Amino acid sequence: MPLTKQALATAAALLALGTATTAHADCLTDAQAAELLAHYVARTPAPNPVNLSDADGACTRGKFNQLLAQRMGKVVGYKAGLTNPAVQKRFNTDKPVWGKLYDGMVLQSGATVEAAFGARALYEADMLVRVKSAAINHAKTPEEVLDAIDQVIPFIELPDLMVQAPPQLNGAGVTAINVGARLGIAGTPLPIPAYRGERYALLKALADMNVSLTDGAGARLGGGKGSDILEHPLNAVTWLATALQQEGITLQPGDLVSLGSFSALLPPRAGLSVTATYDGLPGAAPVRVTFK
């Protein structure tokens, strides 16, 4: 018996409702988010969030960040994660993700950190920039980003994937755990030059630089090129600004932005010293961390 137009419309509405419900069904509950925080604080592996859509991952990140803020206080910046295609491939995604950085997460070069600083502790070569102007929220090119920042800062990020089975995380799962934000080691800031020619040279150097991680004996641990991050590392800022605005957040002067991985994610061990160098980036001093 053929369906009437009204019956077809009702069926379509029910199907749409069911699809919407399914898409958001796996956002962690408030109790699960509290459990995630408890594991974060205790540095013990949390159960993997599973079957998350991108919306579920963002919903979970929101709940987790609300709890983190109650414990850690001020947001000092944001991190763009999965900005390197090689890292995206590891997490079975084709797009970046973002998380929040809190007060106390950024330590200074030369710091000594426990090797077990998190449940699933890792380190990677990274870079920070510091926002100078709210114009950054409208930047569409690396040149426009450079106009709206006042510092480029060498950085070794110390993320914590924090779940029982990190290889099973996808992009939405990485979002859910605030992109593993835990700690990082900042080097000496490089000021943005005033003159156009010098700024052009800096833009080129950021894309062409070779970033290396070495151990205390000088043996190479990993690394990559500046252009490994979205073809130019400052493209991570334009992506992040757009993604944040979609959730009603704007970058503010003084905010730090972590750009992502120039290297593979590597596990620390007690007694290991790691140095990140930025060959081809004039004036960039190495940044160092020691694990105990």
Side-chain angles (χ1 to χ4, degrees):
M1 182 177 177
L3 291 172
T4 65
K5 287 183 178 180
Q6 183 177 357
L8 283 169
T10 301
L14 288 170
L15 179 60
L17 178 60
T19 302
T21 302
T22 301
H24 296 278
D26 293 311
C27 178
L28 265 61
T29 65
D30 292 350
Q32 289 171 320
E35 181 186 9
L36 192 62
L37 178 73
H39 282 286
Y40 181 90
V41 172
R43 295 185 287 183
T44 55
N48 278 58
V50 295
N51 300 323
L52 300 184
S53 68
D54 289 345
D56 297 328
C59 168
T60 299
R61 179 191 57 212
K63 291 184 177 184
F64 185 41
N65 275 328
Q66 197 169 30
L67 296 173
L68 280 173
Q70 292 172 13
R71 182 175 185 87
M72 303 185 70
K74 182 183 176 183
V75 173
V76 297
Y78 301 86
K79 62 172 292 188
L82 310 188
T83 52
N84 184 320
V87 181
Q88 289 178 2
K89 186 175 180 181
R90 173 176 172 178
F91 292 100
N92 194 31
T93 188
D94 60 357
K95 53 184 175 290
V97 294
W98 66 266
K100 292 183 177 181
L101 301 175
Y102 290 91
D103 193 28
M105 284 186 170
V106 180
L107 310 177
Q108 295 305 303
S109 183
T112 297
V113 177
E114 290 183 45
F117 61 80
R120 294 286 187 256
L122 297 162
Y123 66 91
E124 65 184 23
D126 196 334
M127 179 172 277
L128 297 171
V129 299
R130 190 175 73 173
V131 176
K132 177 182 73 174
S133 163
I136 202 164
N137 294 292
H138 309 293
K140 302 301 180 189
T141 66
E143 292 85 351
E144 290 174 349
V145 171
L146 202 65
D147 289 339
I149 61 176
D150 58 9
Q151 292 180 353
V152 168
I153 308 168
F155 188 55
I156 299 174
E157 199 199 348
L158 307 180
D160 177 11
L161 292 183
M162 71 175 287
V163 297
Q164 293 167 1
Q168 295 176 16
L169 286 171
N170 60 10
V174 174
T175 294
I177 60 170
N178 194 38
V179 198
R182 173 72 79 165
L183 292 171
I185 310 298
T188 304
L190 283 172
I192 305 304
Y195 297 108
R196 180 175 297 181
E198 292 175 322
R199 293 162 80 88
Y200 177 80
L202 176 58
L203 282 170
K204 188 173 188 308
L206 285 168
D208 294 345
M209 66 184 176
N210 288 299
V211 184
S212 296
L213 292 172
T214 54
D215 66 14
R220 183 179 168 87
L221 299 166
K225 284 181 64 68
S227 57
D228 289 341
I229 291 181
L230 299 179
E231 300 184 353
H232 192 290
L234 297 187
N235 282 331
V237 183
T238 64
W239 175 86
L240 176 67
T242 299
L244 290 175
Q245 288 173 82
Q246 289 171 354
E247 300 198 30
I249 301 170
T250 54
L251 291 168
Q252 301 297 322
D255 282 346
L256 297 173
V257 175
S258 166
L259 305 183
S261 307
F262 297 107
S263 68
L265 295 158
L266 300 168
R269 66 177 187 276
L272 176 67
S273 291
V274 177
T275 298
T277 54
Y278 298 76
D279 295 329
L281 183 61
V287 55
R288 297 183 175 88
V289 62
T290 298
F291 298 105
K292 64 179 180 178

Short mmCIF file of all heavy atoms in Angstrom, two decimals, residues 199-209 232 280:
data_model
loop_
_atom_site.label_atom_id
_atom_site.label_comp_id
_atom_site.label_asym_id
_atom_site.label_seq_id
_atom_site.Cartn_x
_atom_site.Cartn_y
_atom_site.Cartn_z
N ARG A 199 60.65 40.24 7.83
CA ARG A 199 59.44 39.44 8.09
C ARG A 199 59.26 38.39 6.99
O ARG A 199 58.89 37.24 7.27
CB ARG A 199 58.22 40.35 8.19
CG ARG A 199 58.27 41.25 9.41
CD ARG A 199 57.32 42.43 9.26
NE ARG A 199 55.96 42.08 9.56
CZ ARG A 199 55.42 42.12 10.79
NH1 ARG A 199 56.16 42.47 11.82
NH2 ARG A 199 54.17 41.81 10.98
N TYR A 200 59.52 38.79 5.75
CA TYR A 200 59.43 37.84 4.65
C TYR A 200 60.45 36.72 4.86
O TYR A 200 60.14 35.54 4.64
CB TYR A 200 59.68 38.55 3.32
CG TYR A 200 59.67 37.60 2.14
CD1 TYR A 200 58.47 37.16 1.58
CD2 TYR A 200 60.87 37.12 1.60
CE1 TYR A 200 58.46 36.28 0.51
CE2 TYR A 200 60.88 36.24 0.53
CZ TYR A 200 59.66 35.82 -0.01
OH TYR A 200 59.66 34.94 -1.06
N ALA A 201 61.66 37.08 5.27
CA ALA A 201 62.70 36.08 5.51
C ALA A 201 62.29 35.13 6.64
O ALA A 201 62.54 33.92 6.57
CB ALA A 201 64.02 36.76 5.85
N LEU A 202 61.63 35.66 7.68
CA LEU A 202 61.17 34.82 8.78
C LEU A 202 60.10 33.84 8.31
O LEU A 202 60.11 32.65 8.68
CB LEU A 202 60.65 35.69 9.92
CG LEU A 202 60.04 34.95 11.11
CD1 LEU A 202 61.04 33.98 11.74
CD2 LEU A 202 59.52 35.93 12.16
N LEU A 203 59.16 34.32 7.51
CA LEU A 203 58.13 33.43 6.98
C LEU A 203 58.73 32.27 6.20
O LEU A 203 58.32 31.11 6.35
CB LEU A 203 57.17 34.21 6.08
CG LEU A 203 56.12 35.07 6.76
CD1 LEU A 203 55.42 35.95 5.74
CD2 LEU A 203 55.10 34.21 7.51
N LYS A 204 59.72 32.58 5.36
CA LYS A 204 60.37 31.54 4.57
C LYS A 204 61.14 30.58 5.48
O LYS A 204 61.10 29.36 5.30
CB LYS A 204 61.30 32.16 3.53
CG LYS A 204 61.87 31.15 2.54
CD LYS A 204 62.64 31.82 1.44
CE LYS A 204 63.04 30.82 0.35
NZ LYS A 204 63.72 29.63 0.85
N ALA A 205 61.83 31.13 6.48
CA ALA A 205 62.61 30.28 7.39
C ALA A 205 61.71 29.34 8.18
O ALA A 205 62.06 28.17 8.40
CB ALA A 205 63.41 31.17 8.35
N LEU A 206 60.53 29.81 8.59
CA LEU A 206 59.61 28.94 9.33
C LEU A 206 59.16 27.75 8.50
O LEU A 206 58.99 26.64 9.01
CB LEU A 206 58.40 29.75 9.79
CG LEU A 206 58.64 30.71 10.96
CD1 LEU A 206 57.47 31.66 11.13
CD2 LEU A 206 58.90 29.94 12.25
N ALA A 207 58.97 27.97 7.21
CA ALA A 207 58.56 26.86 6.33
C ALA A 207 59.71 25.92 6.03
O ALA A 207 59.53 24.70 5.93
CB ALA A 207 57.97 27.41 5.04
N ASP A 208 60.92 26.48 5.88
CA ASP A 208 62.07 25.70 5.41
C ASP A 208 62.90 25.09 6.53
O ASP A 208 63.76 24.24 6.26
CB ASP A 208 62.98 26.58 4.55
CG ASP A 208 62.32 27.01 3.25
OD1 ASP A 208 61.29 26.40 2.88
OD2 ASP A 208 62.81 27.97 2.62
N MET A 209 62.72 25.54 7.77
CA MET A 209 63.59 25.08 8.87
C MET A 209 63.52 23.57 9.05
O MET A 209 62.51 22.92 8.77
CB MET A 209 63.19 25.79 10.17
CG MET A 209 61.83 25.42 10.68
SD MET A 209 61.38 26.37 12.16
CE MET A 209 59.69 25.79 12.41
N HIS A 232 52.77 25.25 6.01
CA HIS A 232 53.47 26.34 6.70
C HIS A 232 52.97 26.34 8.13
O HIS A 232 51.75 26.30 8.37
CB HIS A 232 53.18 27.70 6.04
CG HIS A 232 54.09 28.78 6.53
ND1 HIS A 232 54.02 29.29 7.82
CD2 HIS A 232 55.13 29.43 5.93
CE1 HIS A 232 54.95 30.21 7.97
NE2 HIS A 232 55.64 30.32 6.83
N GLY A 280 68.07 26.64 10.54
CA GLY A 280 67.53 27.45 9.47
C GLY A 280 66.61 28.55 9.96
O GLY A 280 66.13 29.37 9.15
#
